[in-house]
Structure formats: C-alpha cells, structure tokens
Amino acid sequence: MITFIIGLFILILGGFFYGKLVEKVFAPDERQTPAISQADGVDFVAMPKWKNQLIELLNIAGTGPVLGPIQGILFGPLAFITIPIGCVLAGAVHDYFNGMISIRNGGAQMPRMVGKYLGPQIKRFYTLVLWLLLFLVGVVFIYTPGDLITRDILNKDAGAQNTTIWIVYAVIFGYYLIATFFPIDKIIGRVYPIFGVILILSALGVFAGIMMDGGVNLQNLSWETLPQYPLGQQFFPVFFITVACGILSGFHGSQSTLISRTVTAEKEGRGTFYNTMIMEGFIAMCWAAGAMILFNRGIDLSTGATAMVGLISREFLGSVGAFFAILGVIVLPITSGDTAFRSLRLMVGEAFNIDQTVIKNRLLTTLGIFIPAIVILVFAKTSPNGFNLLWQYFGFTNQFVAIFALAMTAVYLKSEQKTIWIALLPGMFYTFIVISYICHAPIGLGLEPRLGPMLGIDPNSYILSYLIGAAAAILYMVLVLKQGRKGLDQLPQYKV
C-alpha cells in the first residue's frame, strides 16, 4: 500500500512539475491555431478546452490502461513505481509534443510530420506501421468491448458460435462508421462528455474501493508475494510491452494530432495533452492495485485480464457499482476505436491527397478502411489463437511506433535550438525495449529459444536480445543526432 501511495505522489507531483518543464521547453505562444485559421466544419473545428480534454482522454484511454496493468501487476509492486515514472517522463512527453508540433505544422498528422523531420524513407516505413497499428487498434477495440457487453452486461456466451456477439460487433461497427464519417463536433463532440463522466466515475469508484477496503488487504503484501517473473518472462522488456498504454503508447500520437485541429490556443496544450496522459496513468494504477488485491486473496494468477475487470468491479463496488465500472471499461475501447478509424481516414486522405470535405470522398475512404477491418475481426474471433496473436502484435507495434514520434520530437527540438534529451532519452530506452522484445519473442525472431540450444545459452535468457537492443538504442541516438544537425530550412515544408 505504501508503494501504491508513493507511486501516486510520483504521478501527481511529477506530472505537475515535469509538465511545467516540458511546456517551458516547447514555449507555447499566442499564434493562431489551425482550428481557427483552417476551420472547415469537419475536422478543423474549434471546441472548448474542457471538451478537448475529455475527448483526448477518451481517445487515448482504450483497454490498454486497464487490461495491461492487470497483467503487469503480476511482476509485483514494482509496477506501482515504474508506471508513474514512465508516464511522467515518456508517455505524457510523447503525447504533448505530438499534439503541439502538429499545431505548429497546421494540424498535420503523424506521417507528414515524421516525413518532415525524419525524412521521406522513414516516413514510408512509419506510415505502413502506423496504419497497421490503427487497424489493429480498431479491431481490438471492437473485439474487447463486444465481449464485455455480451458477457458482463447481457449475460450471454461470447463465443463465435453465438449470434449475439456478432450483433453486438455490428452495432459497434455501425457507431464507428458514423463517428468516422461525420464532422467531429456532430457525433464525437456530443457523446464524449457523457462517456467521459462514466469513465471518470468508474475509475474513482475503483480507487475509493481500494482505499477503503483494499488497504487492509494490501498491508500484508511483501515484494515477494507475487511472482517476480510470471510464466518465465523477464521484467525487461516484457513489462513495458504488457502495460503499454498506461506508460507509453504510439497510438496516442494519432489521437493528439486529431485534437490538434480543435484546440483554440497553444497554452491549452499542457492540460489537453500532457495532463490527460497523467490521468490515464492514474487509471492504470487503480486497476493494477485492484488486481493485486484479488490475486493476493487467492484468485488464480492465470485468470484472463478481461475476466478480471468484472471480478475487480464487483469486489469493490457491488452489483450496481460494478455495472457502471464495467460500462466505463467498455467506454474506453469504444472511444478509442472510433477515433483510430477516424485518424486512419485522415492519414489516408492526407497521403493520397483525397479531399475529406467532399462527402463522396469521405465515404469511399471510410469504406476502404472498414472492409479489411471486418475481415481481421472475423479471423480473430473464429481462429483459436486469433485474438492472442492480434493482441501481441498490437502491443509490440504500439510501442514501436512511439520511438519514431520521440525521434521526430528530438529533431524538432534540435531545429528550434532547444534541449533534445527530454525526448531522446525515452526514445532510446524504448528502442532497447521493443528491439530486445521482438528479438526474443516467439512472434518475432525468437533468437534465444531457437539458437540457445546450439550456442549453450538458456532459451529463457535475453542475452543476445539485450545486446542487439542496446546496439539499436545507440544507433537510434546517432541517427537522431545526425538528422538534428540539419537546420529547419533544410527540412521540407508542408501546408495542410
């Protein structure tokens, strides 16, 4: 419990003071934002600060800050320290600069900014990976809320053989289609405040339950109560891939640039981008603590994260409170999936110069995105290991995308003659994480499991993967510093 409280202090105080430092480095001013200068009534729409903050929170907070920490807490109470530190130093920095640099570039989406600051070759690769991530996010965030609605709200079987689950998926898809197609202030701007209230109340409800009831049960926990390395997995790098959205998420970049088109003043940036990531860190901490309490009470450590959502909610909030808590968790992925598809529509339109103010163009672009997404969803649901495979690639791709955004930020700061280490250091750390993970993981190269027996290396060790990850982090630093030496006049200029 002491570790949990310390973590909350790190998150709140660290977020306040480091957030001010980040803002000082960027130096927002009084210049006109794209929401005013490029208003088009569809994507560039001025909205009030409180609404932008709620939409940003709901956009970035999918099931990641709930399901990830529930699994991540199996590594022990150290998670209560690493989540807030990572959130303050990496995740919130990533989200803030993505949004603010987009404002400075006319509301440009991430691929265009990566192309400007990192070069056209990197842009092509990044664009493909980001589009893949947004597809995966959209599909995952139909799958998980659909299963939660069917199982925990409708009390029906969520198996592929049950027609109810497909009806629920279709309803969610229908909402996504509407939210992707219509102007941002007509659908998202109207329903998100309602969703935001549900989300905040559910998180506060779980927190209150932990503080009033959970404290007693956490007092006897030691750092050895839970396994340090569940299922033989190492804290580095698996923990950071598992928790993902509660610490750092590349997906958030696409959402910050979406809101960059509705912000009316640069000085709103810290509250809209940085502080909303701190709030997501708080949500992650609450669900991690709830899971730890139940695991300590004897819940099977192999219980799935989705099932744990219902168990935690009912344990601390009772039947009625659990209904609203589960509803809040359902809101999380739905309000990220819709904007994932919307961001993908904007990026596709931007990449192929498709005017999104024309209804026909917008409809064709939307349908072009949704048809392959439906195919992926059907595969994930009907294949025995489909969703597990989908989630693993989603987790890796999510973090992999983030290192490009942090590199872009470092180059931007260098071009502005500002300190770059605020972005470069977390970028180097996560380069080490994602490269060492994909080198070792079965879904990647599987170096130690495949080569270990021949080289006399423990298949569960990460020795080869760590060396490659460290080399990649150093190369990352060298390339970013080299690109940063170019003056801003040498970088391509884009107009949206």
Side-chain angles (χ1 to χ4, degrees):
M1 191 62 173
I2 291 174
T3 312
F4 176 66
I5 298 298
I6 291 173
L8 288 179
F9 273 107
I10 292 173
L11 184 68
I12 296 170
L13 295 180
F16 177 77
F17 289 107
Y18 202 70
K20 294 193 74 171
L21 173 63
V22 168
E23 183 181 52
K24 182 179 179 181
V25 169
F26 182 83
D29 56 32
E30 301 298 330
R31 74 184 67 188
Q32 203 172 55
T33 65
I36 306 299
S37 62
Q38 298 169 213
D40 64 3
V42 179
D43 297 309
F44 292 87
V45 179
M47 293 197 294
K49 179 181 178 180
W50 68 269
K51 187 173 286 189
N52 284 324
Q53 290 175 341
L54 266 182
I55 294 175
E56 172 72 1
L57 175 61
L58 287 163
N59 285 358
I60 66 174
T63 48
V66 177
L67 303 187
I70 287 174
Q71 299 170 80
I73 200 61
L74 289 171
F75 285 96
L78 182 59
F80 291 140
I81 302 298
T82 49
I83 288 174
I85 291 178
C87 186
V88 169
L89 298 182
V93 170
H94 170 277
D95 293 6
Y96 176 81
F97 280 111
N98 286 340
M100 298 305 291
I101 296 172
S102 176
I103 290 175
R104 290 279 173 93
N105 283 271
Q109 299 301 290
M110 286 303 300
R112 182 158 286 186
M113 293 197 298
V114 167
K116 175 176 180 176
Y117 294 103
L118 299 183
Q121 290 82 12
I122 298 295
K123 176 190 175 182
R124 293 188 193 100
F125 179 72
Y126 172 84
T127 300
L128 291 175
V129 177
L130 181 59
W131 287 8
L132 173 62
L133 172 62
L134 292 174
F135 266 120
L136 295 177
V137 168
V139 176
V140 167
F141 291 169
I142 292 171
Y143 192 113
T144 50
D147 283 22
L148 283 169
I149 291 171
T150 304
R151 185 178 58 246
D152 292 305
I153 301 296
L154 302 178
N155 295 316
K156 301 282 187 179
D157 178 25
Q161 73 284 352
N162 188 356
T163 56
T164 303
I165 188 67
W166 297 105
I167 294 172
V168 173
Y169 287 163
V171 171
I172 296 173
F173 246 123
Y175 165 71
Y176 284 2
L177 179 63
I178 294 171
T180 303
F181 178 75
F182 284 95
I184 193 168
D185 61 331
K186 304 302 182 186
I187 303 297
I188 293 176
R190 293 181 185 274
V191 301
Y192 267 35
I194 301 171
F195 288 165
V197 171
I198 295 173
L199 165 63
I200 293 170
L201 288 179
S202 67
L204 291 176
V206 173
F207 175 72
I210 292 167
M211 299 305 293
M212 292 188 293
D213 178 63
V216 176
N217 298 285
L218 278 176
Q219 284 177 1
N220 296 323
L221 270 177
S222 70
W223 284 71
E224 291 76 33
T225 300
L226 296 178
Q228 186 81 12
Y229 306 117
L231 306 177
Q233 297 173 332
Q234 299 290 318
F235 186 84
F236 292 96
V238 178
F239 173 83
F240 295 92
I241 298 293
T242 301
V243 176
C245 298
I247 300 179
L248 173 71
S249 171
F251 166 68
H252 293 185
S254 65
Q255 304 308 292
S256 295
T257 54
L258 188 69
I259 299 303
S260 73
R261 299 182 172 195
T262 63
V263 172
T264 57
E266 283 195 352
K267 292 184 178 179
E268 295 177 8
R270 182 157 65 100
T272 301
F273 302 120
Y274 191 94
N275 291 347
T276 50
M277 182 58 198
I278 298 300
M279 182 63 188
E280 179 167 334
F282 172 75
I283 293 170
M285 292 280 284
C286 290
W287 287 97
M292 172 169 274
I293 293 169
L294 294 197
F295 285 136
N296 189 51
R297 290 180 181 175
I299 296 294
D300 189 344
L301 296 179
S302 64
T303 303
T306 307
M308 284 295 293
V309 170
L311 294 173
I312 294 169
S313 301
R314 285 185 283 273
E315 182 72 18
F316 297 121
L317 301 175
S319 299
V320 176
F323 173 83
F324 286 100
I326 294 170
L327 192 62
V329 175
I330 291 170
V331 162
L332 288 174
I334 289 178
T335 53
S336 293
D338 58 359
T339 49
F341 284 127
R342 187 180 187 88
S343 295
L344 188 55
R345 172 178 68 77
L346 293 175
M347 291 177 191
V348 170
E350 192 175 73
F352 295 102
N353 295 315
I354 303 172
D355 186 356
Q356 294 296 291
T357 61
V358 179
I359 293 178
K360 179 183 176 181
N361 292 347
R362 204 156 72 238
L363 179 60
L364 290 175
T365 307
T366 301
L367 291 177
I369 292 168
F370 272 57
I371 291 172
I374 293 172
V375 174
I376 296 173
L377 176 65
V378 172
F379 163 77
K381 191 63 180 178
T382 56
S383 176
N385 196 43
F387 181 72
N388 289 334
L389 188 65
L390 183 67
W391 185 269
Q392 289 177 65
Y393 279 113
F394 157 69
F396 164 74
T397 309
N398 192 29
Q399 305 301 76
F400 187 56
V401 165
I403 67 175
F404 291 92
L406 288 168
M408 179 271 294
T409 297
V411 174
Y412 167 82
L413 292 174
K414 183 68 175 178
S415 70
E416 296 284 324
Q417 287 80 50
K418 297 177 180 179
T419 178
I420 68 171
W421 298 103
I422 201 169
L424 184 57
L425 289 179
M428 291 176 62
F429 175 78
Y430 268 92
T431 298
F432 167 77
I433 290 294
V434 297
I435 298 302
S436 60
Y437 173 81
I438 204 64
C439 283
H440 178 88
I443 66 168
L445 299 179
L447 289 183
E448 287 81 7
R450 290 170 183 153
L451 300 180
M454 293 186 294
L455 300 177
I457 297 173
D458 181 358
N460 293 319
S461 73
Y462 278 74
I463 183 168
L464 296 176
S465 299
Y466 283 159
L467 289 174
I468 295 174
I474 294 172
L475 180 61
Y476 177 89
M477 178 185 68
V478 171
L479 293 176
V480 169
L481 291 175
K482 180 181 178 181
Q483 181 71 6
R485 291 194 187 101
K486 297 180 179 179
L488 189 58
D489 57 332
Q490 296 178 267
L491 300 172
Q493 302 299 308
Y494 291 112
K495 181 180 282 188
V496 178

